[in-house]
Amino acid sequence: MEPYTWALDRACAREFETLEPKERRQIFEFLDSLARHPFHEGHMRYRDCAGFEFRVCFLGDLDLHYRLDHAAREIRVAVVERHPSLEQ
């Protein structure tokens, strides 16, 4: 099977620019792996107000929210955010 492609939403791309190079590499590696195996379940799922199903994967202290577009064979990343710390 040909791998999927992936894309970052504009707001997500801006947030992505603020990450450390190591964190960006980690996300690239995860997305490349996900493109080869797009049916990975993720850690959580939710639906947005338009009815799209999003999956969330926890990558260290980062949360990655994405949805799969099987017709376009694309992974659409909507949110990359730092996971809230439990330590104060």
Side-chain angles (χ1 to χ4, degrees):
M1 175 167 79
E2 198 60 32
Y4 280 37
T5 60
W6 51 266
L8 303 173
D9 287 355
R10 181 177 292 187
C12 180
R14 287 190 182 117
E15 182 65 31
F16 186 80
E17 290 177 339
T18 68
L19 299 175
E20 297 292 324
K22 179 181 174 185
E23 294 171 321
R24 281 185 251 162
R25 242 184 342 272
Q26 180 184 19
I27 291 171
F28 283 149
E29 289 171 3
F30 175 76
L31 289 172
D32 287 342
S33 173
L34 188 61
R36 290 188 303 275
H37 307 284
F39 295 99
H40 180 269
E41 284 300 312
H43 295 101
M44 293 175 43
R45 290 182 183 204
Y46 65 91
R47 289 198 181 273
D48 70 359
C49 59
F52 290 112
E53 180 182 83
F54 282 82
R55 297 175 184 192
V56 181
C57 280
F58 305 133
L59 304 172
D61 64 341
L62 296 174
D63 297 347
L64 183 77
H65 300 235
Y66 64 93
R67 71 180 181 94
L68 300 173
D69 184 338
H70 295 295
R73 299 180 59 83
E74 185 175 66
I75 299 155
R76 298 187 181 181
V77 182
V79 178
V80 173
E81 63 186 359
R82 199 157 303 283
H83 189 73
S85 176
L86 299 176
E87 297 178 20
Q88 293 289 338

